[in-house]
Each structure stands twice: as structure tokens, then as C-alpha cells.
Amino acid sequence: MTSQHQILVLNGPNLQLLGTRKPDIYGCRSLADVEDRLRALASELGVAVDCRQSNHEGDLVDWIGSTQGRFSGIIINPGAYTHTSVAIRDAIEAVGLPAVEIHISNVHAREEFRHRSLIAPVCLGQISGMGTHGYELALRGVVAYLEQPAQA
Ligand code: CA2
């Protein structure tokens, strides 16, 4: 019997505010609602998600660093750390797990400083601009990646 994949879902700074303000940019759903939907989808897909949020870069780095042997993949919305954090990038690169970066808003249609991600180059891919639905797309993407037959 194969063991169930565990996926770590990380949200960075200020994402605890989801659903409380700026609905034009970030939508109406709370983070708890987004996480509940993700848990429901995970169960449909036969995987499990562990959802965490922190406003502190070091927490995110520590959580990524402790994934080995416990998680099969990472979904991360690094928030503003997307554009600044060498530490989060290095942590993802070091653990070598497939990671998907997700942004609720279309970062490429916003201010210039949001166009650059330090994290995306060490990820499988980036989802941006699909609203909070993007988390579900990221989960489907990482599960499809994990379940694909090994390439010859
Ligand atoms: O679009 C995204 O998901 C972002 O990662 C959100 C970050 C921003 O710095 C990135 O450039 C793009 C900001 C998260 C702030 O979240 C809030 C949610 C509701 C209300 C206010 C802020």
C-alpha cells in the first residue's frame, strides 16, 4: 500500500487578513475558508494538507526546513516575502521538494516591485491572478506532479 502524500501549505505575512479588507484585490473568502476548501479537495484527491500561516520569515524558513521525510510537496503564498526573501528561496531549494508558488492577485499586473519573485525559480511553477481558487489549482498541480509515472 502506498502512503498518503502530505502537502505543506504555507501563507506568509498579512494573509490572515483575507476576507476582512481589500476584497477587490484579494476576494471575500477568509483564510480559514480557503483552508477548509483545500482540505476538502485534498480528501477528494486522496492526499492530506497541513495549512500554516505566519507573519515571520523565520517561521516559514523553519517549517520548510523541517519537511524532509514528512511532506511530499509544498504550496506557498510567500506574500511580500516573494519579492525579498533569499532565505525562503534557499530553504525551498535545500529541501528539494516540489513547490508551487501561488498569488491571489495577478502580481504581473500590479506595481513593478511585485513582478519579480525570488522564489519562483526554485518552484515547479507559479499561479497568479486566479483569486483564492489558485490554491486549489496549486494542489491539483502538485498532486498531478507527484502521481506522474517516473520519467525514463
Ligand atoms: O497576491 C498575492 O497573493 C500576494 O502574495 C499578496 C501579498 C503581496 O505582497 C504580494 O505581492 C502578492 C500581500 C498579502 C496581503 O494580504 C491581505 C489580504 C487581505 C487584506 C489585506 C492584505
Side-chain angles (χ1 to χ4, degrees):
M1 191 182 122
T2 54
S3 62
Q4 191 190 45
H5 289 300
Q6 304 278 334
I7 312 297
L8 180 63
V9 180
L10 297 180
N11 277 287
N14 298 312
L15 286 154
Q16 82 282 3
L17 296 175
L18 276 182
T20 66
R21 56 192 84 150
K22 297 202 174 191
D24 48 322
I25 302 178
Y26 298 117
C28 299
R29 294 196 193 292
S30 67
L31 183 58
D33 186 10
V34 170
E35 291 174 345
D36 281 348
R37 284 166 171 263
L38 216 45
R39 276 188 278 271
L41 176 62
S43 155
E44 266 176 49
L45 297 177
V47 301
V49 288
D50 181 340
C51 302
R52 305 179 194 173
Q53 187 275 332
S54 178
N55 293 325
H56 305 282
E57 187 177 21
D59 286 343
L60 298 164
V61 170
D62 285 346
W63 289 335
I64 294 164
S66 61
T67 49
Q68 257 157 348
R70 301 168 58 206
F71 291 93
S72 309
I74 299 170
I75 293 169
I76 182 167
N77 183 344
Y81 289 139
T82 305
H83 319 296
T84 63
S85 181
V86 176
I88 293 174
R89 175 198 175 117
D90 285 350
I92 293 173
E93 192 171 31
V95 298
L97 290 178
V100 178
E101 177 181 307
I102 182 258
H103 298 288
I104 299 164
S105 64
N106 180 352
V107 286
H108 303 287
R110 298 182 66 191
E111 303 95 323
E112 184 108 26
F113 69 85
R114 295 187 205 275
H115 297 182
R116 185 181 71 148
S117 169
L118 296 190
I119 316 295
V122 296
C123 291
L124 275 182
Q126 183 195 58
I127 293 169
S128 176
M130 304 306 290
T132 51
H133 183 56
Y135 289 92
E136 291 165 49
L137 298 175
L139 183 59
R140 288 186 186 279
V142 78
V143 170
Y145 176 85
L146 290 169
E147 290 181 352
Q148 75 191 346
Q151 304 294 316

